Amino acid sequence: FFYTNCPFKKRLLLKDYIMPKSAPETLRVFCGTWNVNELDPTSKSTKSLLCTHLISWLGVIKNPMCDVYVIGFQEIQMDASSLIREETDMKLKWKMTLSELFVLVGRSYSLMQIKKENVSPTSARAKEIQKECEFLCAFNKQLVGLYLTVFVRSKKWTKNLRSEGYSIVREGKLGLGNKGAIIYRFKLFDRTFIFINCHLTAHMKNEETRNKNLNNIVSQTMFVRSTKISIEDHEYIVLLGDFNYRIAHASQDPALIRSRIENFEIYREDLLSYDQLSFNKLCGNILPDFIEGAITFKPTFKFHPGTEEYNEKRVPSWTDRIFFKSMNEALQIKLLKYTSTPGMKFSDHKPVHAIFEFSMSESNSRQRGPPPPPPPKSSRRRSGRKKLPALPKQVRSKELEDDSDSQSSSSEDAMIPKVKKPTVPPPTVPIMNRSAEPPKLPKSPPPNRRRGSIKLIPADALLFQNIDDEIDLDVMIPTISSPLNQVHHEDIEEEVEENNLVEQEKDDEEERDDEEEKDDGFLVDDFAVDDFGMEPWDEPVPTTEKVTEPTTENTTGDLIFFD
């Protein structure tokens, strides 16, 4: 009833099937990951330089402006207090820094666009361009060292973005959040996106533990709504972070790996063949059907902070990676760029970023249409619904004759036989309170019971001991034409037709019986009592049963309260 008859729900269903008119053909998204090694963004010694490097990382000058920026950091704070609180002041510091950064990014792009269109900075078009280049923070979350934030461009995009919630996964020892993932899901222009920022177990020997952590994050994470929603129930999935997989070369000699990195163009394929993550993915142990762009950049771990030199004691590795996946074959993901930024020397990791172009309309110009038509009546589910019995023959035939004479009756009403609403005078029931104890008045009368098929007149009263009184009963009976029964009009019509076929076989026998019974009346018991609808009687009906007046007595209580 709710899904098929509620106008508000119809609008919601229609909204799910129709693409918004303002939806673009493609969506450009920047995704970046960086292990910041507990860098304080508000420090006076690093703030201005960090802002300059971050603008360069976002590609403000080299790349066109993106519509959505997804940034994932690791190890923003790794002390004991962050393990306990999980969210610290460092979250606010990074949010403030990035918010100020995106103000500069928006101004830079707006100035470039104004110069490109050659319009006056004070014109209406210039103001419109400035509004289009404004960025708003849509999401901001910290889990110990993990930090994930999403910035969306202009109000045109934010008003069409609906946050669908987030989830956190703790994969550290003793269930701590020093390792794990932050997962954020949202719906933008009728497309579902999910972004995952993860940080897995470190060290070369913990390869199997990393596989287990990654499978737990991707395969077992559930969002509980009306139904359970998994990560793969979304159209677009992007996974980024510090995966901590290493280059497991047979020699395990950091000096040998560094020497081959110096001749990276020659030994790139050889180094990638020893990458633990690529090997496990190729074997099907992790990330089935996920795609990674071609790795054309040098390993991003481990450096001496402040330099571009690798640490002599650690094997250089591609620990910082980005993977993506489309769950809808008609929706394509185009990878425009996948690289690192070696010039950022604040941490022992180098940041990595990717720029995607997501298709917002399905390929082959296949548009979403209205909801599919309802299934045929024969396949409808009617479990748990009472089957209506056949109507009395004399009532059915009389009503069908009335319908044939009436030309103003609708075709819908003519298909279902109508039943007149007979009435009888409300019966009066005498009651008496015969308690020997004095009455004890309740503090407050009990709430009114739900409306049923019998109405008491008066609705409530107090009856003291040895006092007689009378109440009237207003009895309700169901009719097919009642408003609530019209909700199940089609099912009732089908069941009545089935009953009519059965009754048609017995017509001859019933006609002979009807000739003997000259009484045109019918009993109230001939009607089915159901919960679908109740209407009061309007006309008196002769009955063949003698109505007795029941008496209600109270011999145990001291006070009668009826409702």
Side-chain angles (χ1 to χ4, degrees), residues 44-61:
K44 294 182 180 181
S45 59
T46 60
K47 184 175 181 179
S48 58
L49 186 60
L50 176 63
C51 183
T52 303
H53 282 80
L54 287 175
I55 289 179
S56 176
W57 180 43
L58 297 176
V60 175
I61 300 176

Side-chain angles (χ1 to χ4, degrees), residues 348-363:
D348 56 349
H349 289 252
K350 300 300 181 182
V352 174
H353 72 274
I355 298 178
F356 299 99
E357 191 174 79
F358 295 97
S359 175
M360 300 301 288
S361 60
E362 297 181 354
S363 60

Side-chain angles (χ1 to χ4, degrees), residues 3-19:
Y3 285 92
T4 58
N5 292 273
C6 179
F8 175 70
K9 186 61 181 179
K10 283 185 179 180
R11 290 197 295 270
L12 292 180
L13 292 176
L14 202 60
K15 181 180 179 181
D16 291 339
Y17 280 91
I18 296 178
M19 181 75 72

Side-chain angles (χ1 to χ4, degrees), residues 146-214:
L146 281 168
Y147 178 78
L148 179 64
T149 185
V150 177
F151 282 83
V152 182
R153 177 172 69 92
S154 78
K155 293 182 179 180
K156 172 187 174 182
W157 300 85
T158 55
K159 70 181 181 180
N160 289 284
L161 184 144
R162 185 176 69 188
S163 177
E164 299 287 340
Y166 71 92
S167 178
I168 56 176
V169 181
R170 300 173 180 86
E171 290 292 336
K173 292 183 179 180
L174 303 177
L176 297 176
N178 59 320
K179 295 293 185 291
I182 301 175
I183 307 168
Y184 176 56
R185 54 192 293 261
F186 63 86
K187 192 172 186 179
L188 181 61
F189 289 110
D190 204 38
R191 297 299 176 200
T192 54
F193 296 81
I194 188 163
F195 293 92
I196 308 170
N197 178 25
C198 66
H199 191 193
L200 306 183
T201 305
H203 303 302
M204 181 82 69
K205 61 182 180 180
N206 294 324
E207 180 180 359
E208 292 298 327
T209 304
R210 284 190 286 273
N211 291 347
K212 182 179 179 182
N213 295 157
L214 196 54

Side-chain angles (χ1 to χ4, degrees), residues 244-297:
N244 263 322
Y245 284 93
R246 309 304 170 92
I247 295 178
H249 196 272
S251 65
Q252 293 293 309
D253 185 5
L256 176 63
I257 303 299
R258 290 197 306 273
S259 64
R260 295 194 175 186
I261 292 175
E262 292 176 358
N263 301 306
F264 183 69
E265 297 298 329
I266 300 175
Y267 293 101
R268 183 176 71 91
E269 295 295 335
D270 180 65
L271 293 173
L272 286 172
S273 64
Y274 293 102
D275 178 53
Q276 291 179 335
L277 196 156
S278 301
F279 176 78
N280 281 278
K281 187 178 183 306
L282 184 64
C283 295
N285 298 329
I286 56 174
L287 302 179
D289 301 326
F290 275 83
I291 302 173
E292 183 184 19
I295 298 179
T296 59
F297 51 90

